[in-house]
Amino acid sequence: MTHTISRGRGGRTLRTAVAIGAATFGLVALSACGEKPTPRATVTVGSSSVSTEATCYEDGKAIGQDRVESCVGDETDTSIAVGQGDMLRIGVDPEIAETGWVVFLGDQPVVQDPIGKTYRSFSSDGLFAQGGGGGAEQADSVQLTIAESDGEKFYGTWTFELERETD
């Protein structure tokens, strides 16, 4: 009989330990979920689409010009193939559009005034031209950066690699 009581206490202790472990794991998992994801930006070409969270983002707070410049140069693993004559479509979350956003190819702005819509299309013609002029060589890829901006301050960046589709 003593053996049965002892065994019962051991089982209860084990169940208690498992319950405490599960509760602790649940709290850790919930605290990890407590982080709010950054808004997303999406680039679509034809039927292919890629989406990413921000490269640089401070939960809607302005980020300094020096940080923006370094973020525009950040490498990314989010890429999409773009062919000659394709239409490049860019979509952003409504909260980005509410502030406004601009587009950079490399470190050069594509638009001067912030876009206030969630969607904008661009022709792919000239995306990969290097050195300007009609006979310019074509780069194999170019970095596209979307920067949330109200025209005075920057609030986040989203970076994509556009890869030239070869025939």
Side-chain angles (χ1 to χ4, degrees):
M1 185 101 177
T2 307
H3 179 64
T4 305
I5 294 172
S6 174
R7 186 171 169 194
R9 284 186 181 158
R12 190 174 341 165
T13 303
L14 180 59
R15 284 192 305 272
T16 302
V18 168
I20 290 171
T24 302
F25 179 74
L27 288 174
V28 169
L30 283 175
S31 68
C33 293
E35 289 184 26
K36 182 179 172 188
T38 67
R40 298 185 72 79
T42 304
V43 173
T44 303
V45 177
S47 62
S48 298
S49 188
V50 292
S51 182
T52 190
E53 288 192 13
T55 309
C56 294
Y57 192 75
E58 293 295 331
D59 199 25
K61 297 176 188 138
I63 55 179
Q65 183 67 31
D66 56 336
R67 180 136 185 248
V68 171
E69 289 172 6
S70 72
C71 293
V72 167
D74 280 353
E75 301 233 353
T76 181
D77 59 356
T78 306
S79 65
I80 191 166
V82 182
Q84 183 68 23
D86 283 346
M87 196 56 107
L88 181 73
R89 296 181 300 277
I90 301 172
V92 299
D93 280 357
E95 65 186 88
I96 299 170
E98 190 174 301
T99 304
W101 52 284
V102 294
V103 179
F104 291 87
L105 279 179
D107 60 357
Q108 299 299 310
V110 175
V111 294
Q112 298 300 319
D113 296 323
I115 301 164
K117 298 181 178 184
T118 59
Y119 174 83
R120 179 83 185 259
S121 294
F122 297 91
S123 171
S124 67
D125 295 341
L127 282 179
F128 299 99
Q130 291 182 324
E137 290 186 35
Q138 297 285 306
D140 291 331
S141 66
V142 65
Q143 186 178 47
L144 177 130
T145 302
I146 298 164
E148 182 178 3
S149 174
D150 59 10
E152 294 179 18
K153 298 178 182 173
F154 289 92
Y155 299 90
T157 61
W158 293 258
T159 305
F160 299 86
E161 191 72 24
L162 305 178
E163 297 176 346
R164 184 169 58 103
E165 194 173 81
T166 55
D167 295 329

